[in-house]
Amino acid sequence: MTGPKGVTGALAGVRGLLLDLDGVLLLAGRPIPGAADAIRALDARRVPYRIVTNTSVWSRPTLSRYSESLGLSIPPSRILSALSVSAAYTREHFDGRPIYVLATDDARIEFDGQRLLSHENAAAPGARAAAGVIGDAPDEANYANLNVAFRLIRGGAQLIGMHRNRWWITPEGPTLDSGAFVAGLEFASGAKAVVLGKPSIAFFAQAARELAAEVAASGGGRSRKRDFAMVGDDLWTDVLAAQRAGLRGVFVLSGKHGREELAKAAAQRRGGGRPDVVAGSLAELVAELD
Ligand SMILES: [Mg+2]
């Protein structure tokens, strides 16, 4: 593990962690070695943490059950997902107004109580919506539904991307993510998407607020964003973005990006940079926390 000020210096005073899911705890549907023990160690030491994930295909309760089946004990309240922040956003901005959500049935649970259009109603001639929300929906993201979203956006619906991820790793290998559909709808409609998951600054800020509240509730007083570190396997979306949001950034090599990305990012003048810490895995990082 490396860091410009040494690992201990780079992590000194860290009071809570944001953990990415894919590439930090799981990879291709299997737990990453040592991840379950690392979570248990954080629980035992009462280090507050949140799982911050751009996963939008499953609701938080389902994600929690799925993690449990892989030996990871993560209650829904510890999860902040691109899906859950998108549902919170539409609840705040479009309450009571029709919205079109391209997502799985399970993901739609997060929008409970909101006015969601069915695919049929959204496709009806003259249909209008306040927002078109795009998430991972392997079966629903077909031409017909994307065209429905396109028409609603042309008609004035706000285009919302739960995230803009390009790809991820599944048991079948590198897999197209829904960022391509968000980018495609932007391209076709001319609208600019509001993107709510990582790397949005607002997403990290919300997660840091939750950690700060937990620290304060346990008598730890006030904390700053620098007191928290984001641990991720995507150098740009997780690590450098969290650093831009004011948190510390830890890059782990257990996921989809490797050391070549570090050199690429360090050489990049815009949008580049270096993580505060590079670790082999979450297990290695937690072992170094003081
Ligand atoms: Mg990841």
Side-chain angles (χ1 to χ4, degrees), residues 20 22 233 238:
D20 180 28
D22 262 299
D233 73 319
D238 295 324

Side-chain angles (χ1 to χ4, degrees), residues 143-282:
Y143 177 81
N145 291 341
L146 286 165
N147 194 32
V148 165
F150 164 72
R151 287 183 175 148
L152 293 171
I153 292 155
R154 260 184 68 90
Q158 182 175 64
L159 170 58
I160 297 174
M162 292 192 196
H163 60 72
R164 220 186 143 87
N165 286 21
R166 295 181 168 101
W167 60 279
W168 61 308
I169 299 178
T170 66
E172 291 78 40
T175 299
L176 184 68
D177 216 328
S178 59
F181 301 131
V182 175
L185 287 167
E186 281 186 323
F187 175 70
S189 68
K192 180 104 185 72
V194 171
V195 177
L196 292 165
K198 297 177 289 184
S200 129
I201 299 244
F203 184 81
F204 292 109
Q206 169 64 23
R209 270 196 299 278
E210 290 195 10
L211 290 181
E214 202 173 322
V215 168
S218 61
R222 283 172 65 95
S223 38
R224 302 168 309 152
K225 288 203 187 110
R226 283 287 297 168
D227 297 335
F228 306 121
M230 169 72 207
V231 184
D233 73 319
D234 187 307
L235 188 51
W236 286 271
T237 303
D238 295 324
V239 181
L240 299 177
Q243 288 177 332
R244 275 195 291 279
L247 288 76
R248 279 182 257 190
V250 179
F251 179 58
V252 288
L253 298 162
S254 52
K256 64 179 174 181
H257 284 174
R259 290 199 178 273
E260 45 302 2
E261 271 75 17
L262 288 173
K264 213 191 285 175
Q268 211 169 295
R269 290 185 57 177
R270 276 174 62 94
R274 292 171 199 276
D276 293 287
V277 177
V278 178
S281 65
L282 178 64

